[in-house]
Amino acid sequence: MLTPEDKKLIQQVWEKILSHLDDCGREALERMFCVYPQTKTYFPHFDLHPGSDQVRSHGKKVAAALSNAVKNVDNLSQALSELSNLHAYNLRVDPVNFKLLSQCFQVVLAAHLGKDYTPEVHAAFDKFLSAVAAVLAEKYR
């Protein structure tokens, strides 16, 4: 469970990366496709080369969904319900992929934030992104 301090850290970090949030989403996807190539199977119609229009566009969607989650951190289930339905019932994405993308997003955050990505920030984002992944996977049960 996210503590008030975790939520504060998440909000502070989010403000720092807002100006390049879309790049973070794109970079996280590119990293996921590189490190976990099995995730490419859900994007057969995409040009998955780094910097492609499709990866950039989907990175923006990932970033927007995470922004929505940050804004609604106290009610993630409701905030992500539509996205959860889409992934579970229409796209049928393996829920493990949410965890993989979360890990990649954390690496991107660390790269962008440098020394500002403290152990406390890492722990807060780990809990937050785990909660997001759990909500996205809850319709699979």
Side-chain angles (χ1 to χ4, degrees):
M1 201 54 139
L2 291 166
T3 67
E5 182 62 26
D6 292 332
K7 293 174 188 177
K8 181 180 172 185
L9 286 170
I10 290 165
Q11 294 287 341
Q12 289 172 344
V13 167
W14 210 252
E15 288 298 319
K16 289 181 183 181
I17 64 166
L18 270 178
S19 64
H20 52 278
L21 185 58
D22 291 347
D23 289 333
C24 291
R26 175 190 49 79
E27 290 174 32
L29 282 174
E30 290 173 352
R31 182 173 295 279
M32 182 180 73
F33 295 144
C34 179
V35 177
Y36 306 106
Q38 70 273 18
T39 61
K40 293 178 182 181
T41 61
Y42 294 98
F43 300 89
H45 55 292
F46 273 30
D47 171 4
L48 296 176
H49 292 92
S52 76
D53 288 341
Q54 289 94 353
V55 173
R56 189 176 310 116
S57 176
H58 199 67
K60 285 182 181 183
K61 290 178 184 179
V62 168
L66 288 174
S67 281
N68 184 40
V70 169
K71 289 176 191 168
N72 296 285
V73 71
D74 290 320
N75 196 355
L76 290 175
S77 288
Q78 182 178 359
L80 299 173
S81 179
E82 189 174 314
L83 194 57
S84 179
N85 286 337
L86 174 67
H87 282 87
Y89 302 127
N90 295 62
L91 302 175
R92 300 183 191 276
V93 174
D94 184 344
V96 168
N97 292 331
F98 305 134
K99 293 178 185 179
L100 300 178
L101 183 57
S102 294
Q103 292 169 357
C104 293
F105 196 80
Q106 286 195 66
V107 172
V108 170
L109 282 177
H112 280 262
L113 293 170
K115 64 179 171 71
D116 290 335
Y117 199 69
T118 64
E120 294 80 15
V121 169
H122 182 164
F125 265 92
D126 188 50
K127 287 193 250 181
F128 170 69
L129 292 170
S130 292
V132 168
V135 167
L136 291 176
E138 71 187 7
K139 301 286 170 77
Y140 289 82
R141 298 180 200 148

